[in-house]
Amino acid sequence: MKHHNRNPRARGGRKRQPSRRDPLIGFEADVTIEQIGARGDGIAHVATPDGKSVLIYVDCVLPGDQVRVALRQKRGDGYGAEVVAEIARSSGYNTPRCAHFKECGGCALQHMNDDDYRTWKRDKALVAVQRAGIDPQDAETLVGDVEISPPASRRRAGFSVHVGATGVFVGFHGRFSHTVLNVPDCAVLRPELMAFREAFVMFLEACPPEHARDIKEVFVTLTDSGLDVLIQASNDPDLDMRQDLAEFAEAQNIARLSWKTGDRPDEPVAARHLPVVRFEGVEVAIAPGGFLQATQDGEQALVAAIKSALADIAPKNVADLFCGVGSFTFSLALSGKRRSVTAVESDPRAVELLQYAVGQSGSPVKVVKRDLFRQPLVGDELSSFDLVVFDPPRAGALAQSETLAVDGPEWIIAVSCNPATFSRDMRVLRNGGYEITKVVPVDQFLWSSHLELFAILRRVSAG
């Protein structure tokens, strides 16, 4: 046996240090909630035993609530805390509309009265505009009233699915949790989606468990021609499962039911008729799981704002960037005087479906497939337009905003589903010589912290 002499100067293995438990975890204190944070949680300060003051975030409370809290985990620059006792509720408290309010992670502000809720949403818009470099007094003038979608109006949802020893769960994740909760009485979704959820639970309960367990999520969209359903699963369905799903789609009058395994393309299991939406009377088919505005009310509010702007701007040539399947394209092309529209989108399926709808309707629209994140319109490509409209994903439109700041037309309409990236993009455009003339906040995700912003900008000086 070969022996190795140990180097006496070599370091020994590191001893495992016992993890240090944060002494504040579990600490309890009585607090008065100071304000609602950007995520919809209550913010307060707690005096710790060593005399310091720490920031805490508390769910399901309102400013003025007096509660006893226990610190549960480190969270950002403070601690997440849980209410262990209610001492006194503020006058702004409303009884939540949903039995799952405290457990479900979807709605953070169901307990806020309507006037306070509307003010809070508008304040989010004011903050976003101020972060774009606008004076607070000017922001107050620019930002209009919030367009709020009513309860039971959301037409698309992604239900998480868990099938296990304790039963079938089809619903949403719990607040800051991976646990799937059944939500038989959701207050924000359209009744058609809730009826589907109930039927799908019964379907999964009747399925062989080994097949039902493969299903992880189901995405449901209410189109103008019925429900479009996309099942996300870990394995392909066998022949029996396919047959059962086809019968389920027939019984529930589902327009189309598709199956997607992992990262592979989706495939139709039951295609009874084509899911379509109508824009200015033009029918456009959507792909399985394709994007639509979350509510028809929100879509109509945005379209109304666009039409109002068109009456003042009177453009002849419009670029509709990040156009999707044409939520705004046909309003831009067909409302009032017909005008030429170039619609740009990166999703190949959305481009194909929009091109077909344009061809069938004879609309004055040119559809272009292009990734505007990597290849924004620049220079001479922008010179032919007198209005650019853009509605990007949550990441915003930084690259496109940078080229618009240099070579953009007189008018821009920006739609954003993320106040943070809205502020950033507006700063870029304002640095290029644009000024914001109007902002409309649109709330399609009732009782949540999400907010969309519609803005009109006009170039007032050379960049």
Side-chain angles (χ1 to χ4, degrees):
M1 179 180 295
K2 191 171 182 178
H3 295 277
H4 295 277
N5 294 325
R6 181 177 178 83
N7 182 349
R9 300 170 67 182
R11 294 179 61 186
R14 292 186 178 180
K15 293 183 179 180
R16 196 177 192 87
Q17 296 292 329
S19 60
R20 294 182 179 179
R21 185 179 184 277
D22 190 323
L24 290 181
I25 300 300
F27 174 71
E28 294 189 8
D30 295 343
V31 299
T32 299
I33 303 302
E34 301 162 14
Q35 61 179 309
I36 297 295
R39 297 170 61 178
D41 40 18
I43 295 177
H45 289 81
V46 166
T48 62
D50 60 3
K52 295 181 179 179
S53 176
V54 298
L55 189 66
I56 62 168
Y57 302 92
V58 190
D59 294 320
C60 307
V61 293
L62 294 174
D65 283 355
Q66 298 176 40
V67 291
R68 187 166 185 81
V69 300
L71 277 58
R72 295 305 187 201
Q73 72 280 330
K74 198 80 174 72
R75 183 168 153 190
D77 53 353
Y79 289 82
E82 177 185 8
V83 175
V84 295
E86 295 180 3
I87 301 170
R89 281 288 193 179
S90 73
S91 59
Y93 180 80
N94 264 2
T95 301
R97 285 79 158 175
C98 177
H100 314 290
F101 166 62
K102 289 189 176 181
E103 292 79 27
C104 179
C107 300
L109 295 167
Q110 273 194 24
H111 58 319
M112 182 180 281
N113 72 49
D114 292 344
D115 289 340
D116 289 347
Y117 175 76
R118 183 178 291 276
T119 298
W120 185 77
K121 279 287 172 102
R122 186 170 184 272
D123 285 345
K124 282 181 69 74
L126 289 170
V127 169
V129 171
Q130 291 170 29
R131 286 177 176 172
I134 304 293
D135 179 85
Q137 289 186 337
D138 292 338
E140 184 66 42
T141 302
L142 289 174
V143 177
D145 292 335
V146 187
E147 300 284 349
I148 300 179
S149 296
S153 65
R154 201 178 305 172
R155 61 180 171 180
R156 58 182 174 87
F159 294 109
S160 296
V161 179
H162 175 74
V163 179
T166 56
V168 172
F169 297 84
V170 178
F172 303 120
H173 289 290
R175 197 177 299 275
F176 302 112
S177 169
H178 295 293
T179 302
V180 179
L181 302 173
N182 275 323
V183 285
D185 57 349
C186 179
V188 298
L189 297 184
R190 286 282 297 259
E192 297 91 335
L193 272 64
M194 296 309 300
F196 166 84
R197 193 213 73 87
E198 182 178 0
F200 196 60
V201 168
M202 296 175 63
F203 172 80
L204 292 177
E205 288 174 341
C207 283
E210 64 273 16
H211 293 158
R213 281 195 292 267
D214 288 337
I215 297 176
K216 305 303 179 186
E217 289 182 285
V218 56
F219 300 93
V220 190
T221 303
L222 179 62
T223 72
D224 293 341
S225 57
L227 290 178
D228 184 40
V229 177
L230 174 63
I231 293 173
Q232 179 79 51
S234 55
N235 291 298
D236 293 334
D238 63 11
L239 291 176
D240 288 339
M241 186 63 156
R242 291 175 183 271
Q243 180 63 35
D244 291 343
L245 286 168
E247 293 174 358
F248 173 74
E250 181 73 26
Q252 300 302 318
N253 195 27
I254 294 170
R256 178 177 62 198
L257 191 151
S258 306
W259 186 283
K260 180 176 173 62
T261 302
D263 295 329
R264 303 213 309 263
D266 53 76
E267 60 169 317
V269 174
R272 302 177 59 250
H273 43 267
L274 192 63
V276 299
V277 289
R278 296 178 182 88
F279 306 120
E280 300 297 320
V282 178
E283 286 192 349
V284 185
I286 66 167
F291 174 80
L292 287 179
Q293 296 293 333
T295 69
Q296 285 186 312
D297 300 81
E299 180 183 281
Q300 290 168 3
L302 291 168
V303 168
I306 286 175
K307 289 181 178 180
S308 176
L310 291 175
D312 295 330
I313 299 170
K316 295 181 179 180
N317 295 292
V318 182
D320 182 14
L321 309 184
F322 307 94
C323 67
V325 292
S327 297
F328 309 139
T329 306
F330 295 99
S331 296
L332 291 168
L334 303 177
S335 61
K337 294 182 179 180
R338 289 166 68 96
R339 56 190 66 84
S340 175
V341 174
T342 300
V344 185
E345 171 59 40
S346 63
D347 180 358
R349 289 204 288 186
V351 168
E352 180 181 354
L353 294 169
L354 183 55
Q355 284 175 330
Y356 181 81
V358 167
Q360 290 294 103
S361 65
S363 303
V365 176
K366 176 185 177 182
V367 185
V368 177
K369 179 184 179 299
R370 181 161 173 169
D371 185 343
L372 293 168
F373 291 110
R374 298 181 179 180
Q375 192 183 4
L377 297 184
V378 298
D380 292 342
E381 295 176 304
L382 292 169
S383 62
S384 62
F385 302 115
D386 40 22
L387 169 65
V388 169
V389 179
F390 65 82
D391 180 18
R394 289 187 62 79
L398 178 59
Q400 187 62 75
S401 295
E402 289 174 339
T403 65
L404 284 168
V406 177
D407 297 309
E410 180 181 1
W411 294 95
I412 293 174
I413 292 177
V415 182
S416 172
C417 60
N418 184 347
T421 55
F422 170 85
S423 300
R424 179 201 65 199
D425 294 345
M426 293 305 100
R427 283 197 304 271
V428 171
L429 292 170
R430 292 187 73 248
N431 288 339
Y434 285 93
E435 284 297 335
I436 301 172
T437 65
K438 183 178 182 180
V439 176
V440 179
V442 178
D443 181 13
Q444 299 194 64
F445 291 88
L446 186 63
W447 301 318
S448 78
S449 60
H450 295 289
L451 183 67
E452 289 189 72
L453 295 168
F454 170 97
I456 302 173
L457 300 95
R458 186 176 190 179
R459 187 183 289 280
V460 294
S461 65

